[in-house]
Amino acid sequence: RCKTCGEYIYKGKKFNARKETVQNESYLGLPIFRFYIKCTRCLAEITFKTDPENTDYTMEHGATRNFQAEKLLEEEEKRMQKEREEEELNNPMKVLENRTKDSKLEMEVLENLQELKELNQRQANVDFEAMLKQYKELEEEQRRKEQE
């Protein structure tokens, strides 16, 4: 979002941009590029860099990023996994507890999956055409009775 006028600049928006390679910065041998674009409303200059580590962009000047819930969720999951690993290193009983929790969760998931498969098989066995045909015959029979 542009800091000058507040215009939203979408990630997929097509721009004519000036590109330069950032000196003394690379990630695993990949060069990092800096892009210069202009806001579509106020023509203020906005700069951002590529972030190949996170497959994203980082804002430098002229604009701010919107809130990203997905990124925060991923970071939280990584932090929880790291805490769990550290806890398991110090406490062998915790390893056993976590394994039992994981196996219970896996069993529940497999049971739910099996139930869904059975439900889908029941629905697959239903012949909708035959049901519609039977319904039409029943309607015709009722009409005949009414006419009689």
Side-chain angles (χ1 to χ4, degrees):
R1 186 172 180 188
C2 179
K3 285 184 180 177
T4 308
C5 67
E7 178 77 9
Y8 285 98
I9 314 244
Y10 300 100
K11 192 173 183 177
K13 182 87 171 156
K14 189 172 181 179
F15 280 98
N16 290 329
R18 198 170 75 242
K19 177 184 91 167
E20 71 179 25
T21 305
V22 179
Q23 299 297 320
N24 302 324
E25 282 190 49
S26 65
Y27 174 74
L28 299 176
L30 295 171
I32 294 178
F33 298 104
R34 179 176 289 125
F35 295 95
Y36 298 90
I37 63 171
K38 296 208 181 271
C39 175
T40 54
R41 187 192 294 175
C42 67
L43 300 177
E45 188 171 68
I46 298 169
T47 62
F48 57 93
K49 292 193 305 187
T50 57
D51 184 11
E53 183 176 3
N54 299 318
T55 61
D56 203 7
Y57 300 99
T58 56
M59 292 305 307
E60 282 192 319
H61 176 73
T64 57
R65 298 281 309 243
N66 290 337
F67 178 73
Q68 293 179 322
E70 293 174 7
K71 193 171 187 178
L72 287 176
L73 185 63
E74 287 176 5
E75 289 174 1
E76 181 69 20
E77 285 177 3
K78 286 179 185 177
R79 186 184 61 77
M80 293 290 286
Q81 184 67 24
K82 201 178 235 183
E83 284 179 6
R84 181 177 173 174
E85 289 173 1
E86 289 174 3
E87 196 174 68
E88 286 179 354
L89 286 174
N90 298 331
N91 190 351
M93 285 302 290
K94 199 65 176 174
V95 174
L96 187 60
E97 288 176 7
N98 287 339
R99 281 187 191 164
T100 55
K101 284 180 187 176
D102 290 344
S103 64
K104 283 182 183 178
L105 183 65
E106 188 175 336
M107 291 298 289
E108 288 177 10
V109 168
L110 288 174
E111 287 174 6
N112 290 340
L113 184 63
Q114 187 64 32
E115 288 177 14
L116 287 173
K117 284 181 180 178
E118 290 173 3
L119 198 109
N120 284 340
Q121 285 177 349
R122 278 189 233 138
Q123 287 182 346
N125 292 336
V126 174
D127 187 13
F128 292 107
E129 295 297 325
M131 287 175 57
L132 289 173
K133 186 177 177 182
Q134 185 179 7
Y135 180 72
K136 286 180 182 178
E137 290 174 0
L138 186 66
E139 275 186 343
E140 288 177 14
E141 190 177 314
Q142 286 178 350
R143 288 181 191 161
R144 284 187 215 132
K145 287 181 181 178
E146 287 177 4
Q147 287 178 358
E148 289 176 1

